[in-house]
Amino acid sequence: MLTLYYSPHSCSLAPYIALEEAGATFTPYRMNFAAGEQNGDAFKKLNPKGRVPTLATDHGVLSENVAILTYIAQIFPAANLAPTDLFQLAQMQAFNAYLSSTVHPNHSHRGRGYRWSDDPAVQEALKIKVPQNMRDCFTIIENEYLKGPWVFGNQFTVADAYLFTITNWMEADGVDINTFPKILAHRIAMNARPAVARAVSAHDS
Ligand SMILES: N[C@@H](CCC(=O)N[C@@H](CS)C(=O)NCC(=O)O)C(=O)O
């Protein structure tokens, strides 16, 4: 039994896509961020960090996209959502860790500056660097990582779900996707996948 705690327009879209791609049976639980449900006692018992995605499993609760995505790939091996070769798997982890530890925090400086400073002037200053920082990250992804059509060439992996999720924030972060032809082609290819369409529609509606 799997329950995915998610919030629309958030990074929980990545595991939502992975579960849909795997053909998994799961219960989606939509969090009410506006009401602060992520900081309530009930949710914090599940995930003391107060964040989505959070995946409740028969073995316990998982947080962090990097772990959740790999777990989904490994419990549904028939879906082939991660490389079986150990070095290639480590490369996928490196890519997902880059999204999680660098790209996502750079994005969060736009709307969540209060995590880094209580000073409203500093929070405003943090926003100014967001387009440049995100452009720098997407330049590395475009030039160094994204093989095409999928991140790792012909094998669709959970890294594609994660990349698509974060590239969906480009416009709001002040980055023109048209200046990144491979990332644009990746978004178009992702949008054509029925499992992605199902996840986007259920996750963001
Ligand atoms: N490192 C975590 C980041 C999770 C995270 O920051 N999630 C955001 C949504 S994208 C969240 O739950 N924010 C709630 C809040 O800040 O109150 C991961 O990759 O899973």
Side-chain angles (χ1 to χ4, degrees), residues 7 9-12 33 38-39 49-53 63-66 68 100-101 104 107-108 112 114-115 162 169:
S7 173
H9 311 294
S10 81
C11 62
S12 55
F33 271 16
Q38 73 274 31
N39 296 316
K49 291 176 279 191
R51 303 279 178 93
V52 298
S63 60
E64 299 299 329
N65 263 304
V66 176
I68 292 173
S100 167
S101 66
H104 188 168
H107 153 85
S108 300
R112 307 266 191 207
Y114 55 82
R115 287 183 190 155
Y162 201 4
W169 301 337

Side-chain angles (χ1 to χ4, degrees), residues 4-173:
L4 178 68
Y5 294 81
Y6 75 97
S7 173
H9 311 294
S10 81
C11 62
S12 55
L13 177 63
Y16 208 119
I17 290 172
L19 288 165
E20 288 287 345
E21 287 282 351
T25 301
F26 69 104
T27 305
Y29 180 95
R30 189 186 183 101
M31 299 286 294
N32 188 344
F33 271 16
E37 189 179 4
Q38 73 274 31
N39 296 316
D41 291 344
F43 186 68
K44 284 219 163 164
K45 277 190 191 126
L46 283 177
N47 181 353
K49 291 176 279 191
R51 303 279 178 93
V52 298
T54 296
L55 185 70
T57 80
D58 289 341
H59 305 278
V61 178
L62 276 178
S63 60
E64 299 299 329
N65 263 304
V66 176
I68 292 173
L69 290 170
T70 307
Y71 182 68
I72 292 169
Q74 291 184 331
I75 59 174
F76 298 104
N80 205 23
L81 294 174
T84 47
D85 175 84
L86 291 184
F87 186 74
Q88 287 173 8
L89 178 64
Q91 286 181 311
M92 188 188 84
Q93 299 296 64
F95 179 74
N96 286 344
Y98 179 62
L99 295 182
S100 167
S101 66
T102 302
V103 190
H104 188 168
N106 282 345
H107 153 85
S108 300
H109 285 160
R110 180 166 59 81
R112 307 266 191 207
Y114 55 82
R115 287 183 190 155
W116 288 274
S117 174
D118 294 326
D119 182 340
V122 173
Q123 292 174 17
E124 281 308 305
L126 286 174
K127 288 183 189 170
I128 294 169
K129 282 284 280 181
V130 170
Q132 184 60 53
N133 283 339
M134 294 301 274
R135 260 194 302 274
D136 290 349
C137 290
F138 288 123
T139 300
I140 287 175
I141 291 169
E142 174 90 7
N143 295 338
E144 309 298 335
Y145 277 116
L146 180 48
K147 291 197 173 97
W150 311 119
V151 177
F152 293 102
N154 289 328
Q155 185 181 4
F156 179 92
T157 69
V158 289
D160 293 293
Y162 201 4
L163 176 62
F164 173 76
T165 295
I166 289 192
T167 59
N168 275 343
W169 301 337
M170 287 172 95
E171 285 80 359
D173 286 341

